[in-house]
PDB file of all heavy atoms in Angstrom:
ATOM      1  N   LEU A   1     -73.540  46.720 -32.732  1.00 98.00           N
ATOM      2  CA  LEU A   1     -72.301  47.002 -33.458  1.00 98.00           C
ATOM      3  C   LEU A   1     -71.726  45.711 -34.008  1.00 98.00           C
ATOM      4  O   LEU A   1     -71.593  44.717 -33.263  1.00 98.00           O
ATOM      5  CB  LEU A   1     -71.283  47.695 -32.552  1.00 98.00           C
ATOM      6  CG  LEU A   1     -69.931  48.085 -33.172  1.00 98.00           C
ATOM      7  CD1 LEU A   1     -69.403  49.363 -32.535  1.00 98.00           C
ATOM      8  CD2 LEU A   1     -68.885  46.975 -33.005  1.00 98.00           C
ATOM      9  N   PHE A   2     -71.389  45.725 -35.289  1.00 98.00           N
ATOM     10  CA  PHE A   2     -70.699  44.584 -35.905  1.00 98.00           C
ATOM     11  C   PHE A   2     -69.290  45.018 -36.246  1.00 98.00           C
ATOM     12  O   PHE A   2     -69.082  45.999 -36.965  1.00 98.00           O
ATOM     13  CB  PHE A   2     -71.430  44.105 -37.149  1.00 98.00           C
ATOM     14  CG  PHE A   2     -70.814  42.865 -37.748  1.00 98.00           C
ATOM     15  CD1 PHE A   2     -70.951  41.645 -37.111  1.00 98.00           C
ATOM     16  CD2 PHE A   2     -70.098  42.934 -38.932  1.00 98.00           C
ATOM     17  CE1 PHE A   2     -70.384  40.493 -37.650  1.00 98.00           C
ATOM     18  CE2 PHE A   2     -69.527  41.790 -39.484  1.00 98.00           C
ATOM     19  CZ  PHE A   2     -69.670  40.566 -38.833  1.00 98.00           C
ATOM     20  N   LEU A   3     -68.316  44.290 -35.728  1.00 98.00           N
ATOM     21  CA  LEU A   3     -66.904  44.614 -35.909  1.00 98.00           C
ATOM     22  C   LEU A   3     -66.253  43.655 -36.897  1.00 98.00           C
ATOM     23  O   LEU A   3     -66.422  42.434 -36.801  1.00 98.00           O
ATOM     24  CB  LEU A   3     -66.179  44.518 -34.560  1.00 98.00           C
ATOM     25  CG  LEU A   3     -64.651  44.444 -34.596  1.00 98.00           C
ATOM     26  CD1 LEU A   3     -64.060  45.763 -35.073  1.00 98.00           C
ATOM     27  CD2 LEU A   3     -64.092  44.066 -33.239  1.00 98.00           C
ATOM     28  N   ILE A   4     -65.499  44.230 -37.852  1.00 98.00           N
ATOM     29  CA  ILE A   4     -64.695  43.447 -38.786  1.00 98.00           C
ATOM     30  C   ILE A   4     -63.238  43.886 -38.628  1.00 98.00           C
ATOM     31  O   ILE A   4     -62.914  45.050 -38.860  1.00 98.00           O
ATOM     32  CB  ILE A   4     -65.117  43.663 -40.253  1.00 98.00           C
ATOM     33  CG1 ILE A   4     -66.630  43.490 -40.433  1.00 98.00           C
ATOM     34  CG2 ILE A   4     -64.360  42.713 -41.167  1.00 98.00           C
ATOM     35  CD1 ILE A   4     -67.128  43.897 -41.808  1.00 98.00           C
ATOM     36  N   ALA A   5     -62.378  42.969 -38.214  1.00 98.00           N
ATOM     37  CA  ALA A   5     -60.939  43.236 -38.131  1.00 98.00           C
ATOM     38  C   ALA A   5     -60.280  42.550 -39.327  1.00 98.00           C
ATOM     39  O   ALA A   5     -60.151  41.326 -39.346  1.00 98.00           O
ATOM     40  CB  ALA A   5     -60.370  42.727 -36.816  1.00 98.00           C
ATOM     41  N   LEU A   6     -59.883  43.340 -40.308  1.00 98.00           N
ATOM     42  CA  LEU A   6     -59.479  42.788 -41.603  1.00 98.00           C
ATOM     43  C   LEU A   6     -58.177  41.996 -41.531  1.00 98.00           C
ATOM     44  O   LEU A   6     -58.082  40.897 -42.105  1.00 98.00           O
ATOM     45  CB  LEU A   6     -59.359  43.910 -42.636  1.00 98.00           C
ATOM     46  CG  LEU A   6     -60.644  44.382 -43.322  1.00 98.00           C
ATOM     47  CD1 LEU A   6     -61.317  43.240 -44.054  1.00 98.00           C
ATOM     48  CD2 LEU A   6     -61.605  45.032 -42.349  1.00 98.00           C
ATOM     49  N   ASP A   7     -57.141  42.544 -40.890  1.00 97.00           N
ATOM     50  CA  ASP A   7     -55.845  41.867 -40.883  1.00 97.00           C
ATOM     51  C   ASP A   7     -55.843  40.613 -40.010  1.00 97.00           C
ATOM     52  O   ASP A   7     -55.261  39.591 -40.381  1.00 97.00           O
ATOM     53  CB  ASP A   7     -54.746  42.832 -40.422  1.00 97.00           C
ATOM     54  CG  ASP A   7     -54.509  43.952 -41.427  1.00 97.00           C
ATOM     55  OD1 ASP A   7     -54.949  43.790 -42.591  1.00 97.00           O
ATOM     56  OD2 ASP A   7     -53.911  44.974 -41.055  1.00 97.00           O
ATOM     57  N   SER A   8     -56.488  40.685 -38.864  1.00 96.00           N
ATOM     58  CA  SER A   8     -56.547  39.522 -37.966  1.00 96.00           C
ATOM     59  C   SER A   8     -57.730  38.615 -38.281  1.00 96.00           C
ATOM     60  O   SER A   8     -57.864  37.537 -37.701  1.00 96.00           O
ATOM     61  CB  SER A   8     -56.618  39.977 -36.508  1.00 96.00           C
ATOM     62  OG  SER A   8     -57.763  40.797 -36.288  1.00 96.00           O
ATOM     63  N   ARG A   9     -58.618  39.070 -39.188  1.00 98.00           N
ATOM     64  CA  ARG A   9     -59.781  38.303 -39.665  1.00 98.00           C
ATOM     65  C   ARG A   9     -60.702  37.887 -38.510  1.00 98.00           C
ATOM     66  O   ARG A   9     -61.205  36.763 -38.458  1.00 98.00           O
ATOM     67  CB  ARG A   9     -59.342  37.074 -40.471  1.00 98.00           C
ATOM     68  CG  ARG A   9     -58.478  37.423 -41.668  1.00 98.00           C
ATOM     69  CD  ARG A   9     -58.223  36.238 -42.563  1.00 98.00           C
ATOM     70  NE  ARG A   9     -59.441  35.815 -43.258  1.00 98.00           N
ATOM     71  CZ  ARG A   9     -59.905  36.391 -44.374  1.00 98.00           C
ATOM     72  NH1 ARG A   9     -59.277  37.437 -44.890  1.00 98.00           N
ATOM     73  NH2 ARG A   9     -60.986  35.930 -44.964  1.00 98.00           N
ATOM     74  N   ASP A  10     -60.920  38.830 -37.609  1.00 98.00           N
ATOM     75  CA  ASP A  10     -61.853  38.615 -36.494  1.00 98.00           C
ATOM     76  C   ASP A  10     -63.170  39.328 -36.784  1.00 98.00           C
ATOM     77  O   ASP A  10     -63.208  40.326 -37.507  1.00 98.00           O
ATOM     78  CB  ASP A  10     -61.274  39.158 -35.185  1.00 98.00           C
ATOM     79  CG  ASP A  10     -60.064  38.380 -34.709  1.00 98.00           C
ATOM     80  OD1 ASP A  10     -60.246  37.234 -34.246  1.00 98.00           O
ATOM     81  OD2 ASP A  10     -58.934  38.907 -34.805  1.00 98.00           O
ATOM     82  N   TYR A  11     -64.242  38.817 -36.183  1.00 98.00           N
ATOM     83  CA  TYR A  11     -65.539  39.490 -36.257  1.00 98.00           C
ATOM     84  C   TYR A  11     -66.284  39.255 -34.954  1.00 98.00           C
ATOM     85  O   TYR A  11     -66.029  38.281 -34.239  1.00 98.00           O
ATOM     86  CB  TYR A  11     -66.380  38.965 -37.430  1.00 98.00           C
ATOM     87  CG  TYR A  11     -66.949  37.578 -37.198  1.00 98.00           C
ATOM     88  CD1 TYR A  11     -68.189  37.401 -36.569  1.00 98.00           C
ATOM     89  CD2 TYR A  11     -66.238  36.442 -37.574  1.00 98.00           C
ATOM     90  CE1 TYR A  11     -68.696  36.130 -36.333  1.00 98.00           C
ATOM     91  CE2 TYR A  11     -66.735  35.173 -37.345  1.00 98.00           C
ATOM     92  CZ  TYR A  11     -67.961  35.024 -36.730  1.00 98.00           C
ATOM     93  OH  TYR A  11     -68.453  33.771 -36.488  1.00 98.00           O
ATOM     94  N   VAL A  12     -67.225  40.137 -34.652  1.00 98.00           N
ATOM     95  CA  VAL A  12     -68.074  39.967 -33.465  1.00 98.00           C
ATOM     96  C   VAL A  12     -69.259  40.916 -33.574  1.00 98.00           C
ATOM     97  O   VAL A  12     -69.183  41.952 -34.243  1.00 98.00           O
ATOM     98  CB  VAL A  12     -67.279  40.246 -32.160  1.00 98.00           C
ATOM     99  CG1 VAL A  12     -67.008  41.733 -31.981  1.00 98.00           C
ATOM    100  CG2 VAL A  12     -68.028  39.693 -30.934  1.00 98.00           C
ATOM    101  N   THR A  13     -70.342  40.543 -32.916  1.00 98.00           N
ATOM    102  CA  THR A  13     -71.523  41.402 -32.785  1.00 98.00           C
ATOM    103  C   THR A  13     -71.757  41.679 -31.311  1.00 98.00           C
ATOM    104  O   THR A  13     -71.760  40.740 -30.502  1.00 98.00           O
ATOM    105  CB  THR A  13     -72.786  40.731 -33.362  1.00 98.00           C
ATOM    106  OG1 THR A  13     -72.537  40.317 -34.698  1.00 98.00           O
ATOM    107  CG2 THR A  13     -73.971  41.684 -33.335  1.00 98.00           C
ATOM    108  N   ILE A  14     -71.920  42.947 -30.949  1.00 98.00           N
ATOM    109  CA  ILE A  14     -72.282  43.281 -29.576  1.00 98.00           C
ATOM    110  C   ILE A  14     -73.533  44.159 -29.595  1.00 98.00           C
ATOM    111  O   ILE A  14     -73.797  44.879 -30.557  1.00 98.00           O
ATOM    112  CB  ILE A  14     -71.142  44.005 -28.825  1.00 98.00           C
ATOM    113  CG1 ILE A  14     -70.807  45.345 -29.499  1.00 98.00           C
ATOM    114  CG2 ILE A  14     -69.908  43.122 -28.713  1.00 98.00           C
ATOM    115  CD1 ILE A  14     -69.884  46.228 -28.670  1.00 98.00           C
ATOM    116  N   THR A  15     -74.318  44.066 -28.532  1.00 98.00           N
ATOM    117  CA  THR A  15     -75.520  44.887 -28.376  1.00 98.00           C
ATOM    118  C   THR A  15     -75.508  45.520 -26.994  1.00 98.00           C
ATOM    119  O   THR A  15     -74.852  45.017 -26.068  1.00 98.00           O
ATOM    120  CB  THR A  15     -76.800  44.046 -28.528  1.00 98.00           C
ATOM    121  OG1 THR A  15     -76.762  42.949 -27.592  1.00 98.00           O
ATOM    122  CG2 THR A  15     -76.917  43.495 -29.940  1.00 98.00           C
ATOM    123  N   TYR A  16     -76.247  46.615 -26.873  1.00 98.00           N
ATOM    124  CA  TYR A  16     -76.324  47.285 -25.573  1.00 98.00           C
ATOM    125  C   TYR A  16     -77.655  48.014 -25.468  1.00 98.00           C
ATOM    126  O   TYR A  16     -78.234  48.444 -26.465  1.00 98.00           O
ATOM    127  CB  TYR A  16     -75.167  48.272 -25.400  1.00 98.00           C
ATOM    128  CG  TYR A  16     -74.988  48.739 -23.967  1.00 98.00           C
ATOM    129  CD1 TYR A  16     -74.386  47.915 -23.024  1.00 98.00           C
ATOM    130  CD2 TYR A  16     -75.443  49.995 -23.565  1.00 98.00           C
ATOM    131  CE1 TYR A  16     -74.235  48.330 -21.711  1.00 98.00           C
ATOM    132  CE2 TYR A  16     -75.298  50.424 -22.251  1.00 98.00           C
ATOM    133  CZ  TYR A  16     -74.683  49.590 -21.323  1.00 98.00           C
ATOM    134  OH  TYR A  16     -74.544  49.989 -20.020  1.00 98.00           O
ATOM    135  N   GLY A  17     -78.149  48.151 -24.220  1.00 98.00           N
ATOM    136  CA  GLY A  17     -79.399  48.875 -23.986  1.00 98.00           C
ATOM    137  C   GLY A  17     -80.560  48.249 -24.720  1.00 98.00           C
ATOM    138  O   GLY A  17     -80.803  47.040 -24.636  1.00 98.00           O
ATOM    139  N   GLY A  18     -81.281  49.063 -25.478  1.00 97.00           N
ATOM    140  CA  GLY A  18     -82.409  48.566 -26.260  1.00 97.00           C
ATOM    141  C   GLY A  18     -82.002  47.587 -27.335  1.00 97.00           C
ATOM    142  O   GLY A  18     -82.822  46.801 -27.807  1.00 97.00           O
ATOM    143  N   GLY A  19     -80.732  47.603 -27.720  1.00 98.00           N
ATOM    144  CA  GLY A  19     -80.247  46.637 -28.700  1.00 98.00           C
ATOM    145  C   GLY A  19     -80.277  45.221 -28.178  1.00 98.00           C
ATOM    146  O   GLY A  19     -80.489  44.263 -28.945  1.00 98.00           O
ATOM    147  N   VAL A  20     -80.083  45.048 -26.874  1.00 98.00           N
ATOM    148  CA  VAL A  20     -80.147  43.715 -26.265  1.00 98.00           C
ATOM    149  C   VAL A  20     -81.566  43.167 -26.346  1.00 98.00           C
ATOM    150  O   VAL A  20     -81.778  41.976 -26.597  1.00 98.00           O
ATOM    151  CB  VAL A  20     -79.677  43.772 -24.796  1.00 98.00           C
ATOM    152  CG1 VAL A  20     -79.858  42.422 -24.116  1.00 98.00           C
ATOM    153  CG2 VAL A  20     -78.214  44.210 -24.725  1.00 98.00           C
ATOM    154  N   THR A  21     -82.546  44.045 -26.171  1.00 97.00           N
ATOM    155  CA  THR A  21     -83.945  43.617 -26.223  1.00 97.00           C
ATOM    156  C   THR A  21     -84.387  43.293 -27.646  1.00 97.00           C
ATOM    157  O   THR A  21     -85.071  42.296 -27.883  1.00 97.00           O
ATOM    158  CB  THR A  21     -84.850  44.725 -25.660  1.00 97.00           C
ATOM    159  OG1 THR A  21     -84.407  45.082 -24.343  1.00 97.00           O
ATOM    160  CG2 THR A  21     -86.297  44.258 -25.595  1.00 97.00           C
ATOM    161  N   ALA A  22     -83.985  44.133 -28.591  1.00 97.00           N
ATOM    162  CA  ALA A  22     -84.454  43.976 -29.969  1.00 97.00           C
ATOM    163  C   ALA A  22     -83.764  42.839 -30.703  1.00 97.00           C
ATOM    164  O   ALA A  22     -84.357  42.226 -31.596  1.00 97.00           O
ATOM    165  CB  ALA A  22     -84.249  45.279 -30.735  1.00 97.00           C
ATOM    166  N   PHE A  23     -82.518  42.530 -30.340  1.00 98.00           N
ATOM    167  CA  PHE A  23     -81.745  41.506 -31.043  1.00 98.00           C
ATOM    168  C   PHE A  23     -81.484  40.320 -30.116  1.00 98.00           C
ATOM    169  O   PHE A  23     -80.642  40.390 -29.226  1.00 98.00           O
ATOM    170  CB  PHE A  23     -80.421  42.077 -31.551  1.00 98.00           C
ATOM    171  CG  PHE A  23     -80.577  43.083 -32.643  1.00 98.00           C
ATOM    172  CD1 PHE A  23     -80.773  44.429 -32.346  1.00 98.00           C
ATOM    173  CD2 PHE A  23     -80.530  42.697 -33.973  1.00 98.00           C
ATOM    174  CE1 PHE A  23     -80.917  45.374 -33.352  1.00 98.00           C
ATOM    175  CE2 PHE A  23     -80.679  43.635 -34.996  1.00 98.00           C
ATOM    176  CZ  PHE A  23     -80.877  44.970 -34.683  1.00 98.00           C
ATOM    177  N   THR A  24     -82.224  39.243 -30.327  1.00 98.00           N
ATOM    178  CA  THR A  24     -82.048  38.031 -29.530  1.00 98.00           C
ATOM    179  C   THR A  24     -80.808  37.267 -29.989  1.00 98.00           C
ATOM    180  O   THR A  24     -80.272  37.508 -31.078  1.00 98.00           O
ATOM    181  CB  THR A  24     -83.274  37.118 -29.663  1.00 98.00           C
ATOM    182  OG1 THR A  24     -83.407  36.737 -31.055  1.00 98.00           O
ATOM    183  CG2 THR A  24     -84.540  37.823 -29.213  1.00 98.00           C
ATOM    184  N   ASP A  25     -80.359  36.332 -29.171  1.00 97.00           N
ATOM    185  CA  ASP A  25     -79.234  35.480 -29.557  1.00 97.00           C
ATOM    186  C   ASP A  25     -79.543  34.728 -30.845  1.00 97.00           C
ATOM    187  O   ASP A  25     -78.669  34.529 -31.695  1.00 97.00           O
ATOM    188  CB  ASP A  25     -78.917  34.478 -28.432  1.00 97.00           C
ATOM    189  CG  ASP A  25     -78.438  35.176 -27.167  1.00 97.00           C
ATOM    190  OD1 ASP A  25     -78.002  36.342 -27.260  1.00 97.00           O
ATOM    191  OD2 ASP A  25     -78.491  34.554 -26.091  1.00 97.00           O
ATOM    192  N   TYR A  26     -80.788  34.297 -30.970  1.00 98.00           N
ATOM    193  CA  TYR A  26     -81.229  33.578 -32.169  1.00 98.00           C
ATOM    194  C   TYR A  26     -81.063  34.440 -33.417  1.00 98.00           C
ATOM    195  O   TYR A  26     -80.543  33.983 -34.440  1.00 98.00           O
ATOM    196  CB  TYR A  26     -82.693  33.175 -31.986  1.00 98.00           C
ATOM    197  CG  TYR A  26     -83.373  32.633 -33.220  1.00 98.00           C
ATOM    198  CD1 TYR A  26     -83.233  31.294 -33.588  1.00 98.00           C
ATOM    199  CD2 TYR A  26     -84.172  33.455 -34.021  1.00 98.00           C
ATOM    200  CE1 TYR A  26     -83.859  30.788 -34.718  1.00 98.00           C
ATOM    201  CE2 TYR A  26     -84.809  32.954 -35.146  1.00 98.00           C
ATOM    202  CZ  TYR A  26     -84.647  31.622 -35.490  1.00 98.00           C
ATOM    203  OH  TYR A  26     -85.269  31.136 -36.607  1.00 98.00           O
ATOM    204  N   ARG A  27     -81.494  35.694 -33.340  1.00 97.00           N
ATOM    205  CA  ARG A  27     -81.426  36.576 -34.501  1.00 97.00           C
ATOM    206  C   ARG A  27     -79.981  36.954 -34.828  1.00 97.00           C
ATOM    207  O   ARG A  27     -79.607  37.017 -36.013  1.00 97.00           O
ATOM    208  CB  ARG A  27     -82.256  37.836 -34.244  1.00 97.00           C
ATOM    209  CG  ARG A  27     -82.294  38.800 -35.429  1.00 97.00           C
ATOM    210  CD  ARG A  27     -82.775  38.116 -36.699  1.00 97.00           C
ATOM    211  NE  ARG A  27     -82.982  39.071 -37.789  1.00 97.00           N
ATOM    212  CZ  ARG A  27     -83.256  38.738 -39.033  1.00 97.00           C
ATOM    213  NH1 ARG A  27     -83.334  37.457 -39.380  1.00 97.00           N
ATOM    214  NH2 ARG A  27     -83.453  39.668 -39.957  1.00 97.00           N
ATOM    215  N   ILE A  28     -79.170  37.195 -33.814  1.00 98.00           N
ATOM    216  CA  ILE A  28     -77.762  37.530 -34.048  1.00 98.00           C
ATOM    217  C   ILE A  28     -77.054  36.374 -34.746  1.00 98.00           C
ATOM    218  O   ILE A  28     -76.249  36.577 -35.661  1.00 98.00           O
ATOM    219  CB  ILE A  28     -77.072  37.889 -32.726  1.00 98.00           C
ATOM    220  CG1 ILE A  28     -77.607  39.228 -32.199  1.00 98.00           C
ATOM    221  CG2 ILE A  28     -75.549  37.967 -32.895  1.00 98.00           C
ATOM    222  CD1 ILE A  28     -77.117  39.594 -30.818  1.00 98.00           C
TER     223      ILE A  28
END
């Protein structure tokens, strides 16, 4: 999941389950 908070201008990427395996820190 990629989150965009428009008014506070925050962003973050989180992964869970198989998403943790498929998406390494390097790729994120």
Side-chain angles (χ1 to χ4, degrees):
L1 181 147
F2 185 72
L3 164 68
I4 310 171
L6 278 301
D7 293 343
S8 59
R9 302 188 69 82
D10 293 288
Y11 73 88
V12 73
T13 306
I14 62 169
T15 55
Y16 194 77
V20 175
T21 305
F23 292 87
T24 61
D25 295 340
Y26 170 83
R27 182 55 172 172
I28 291 173

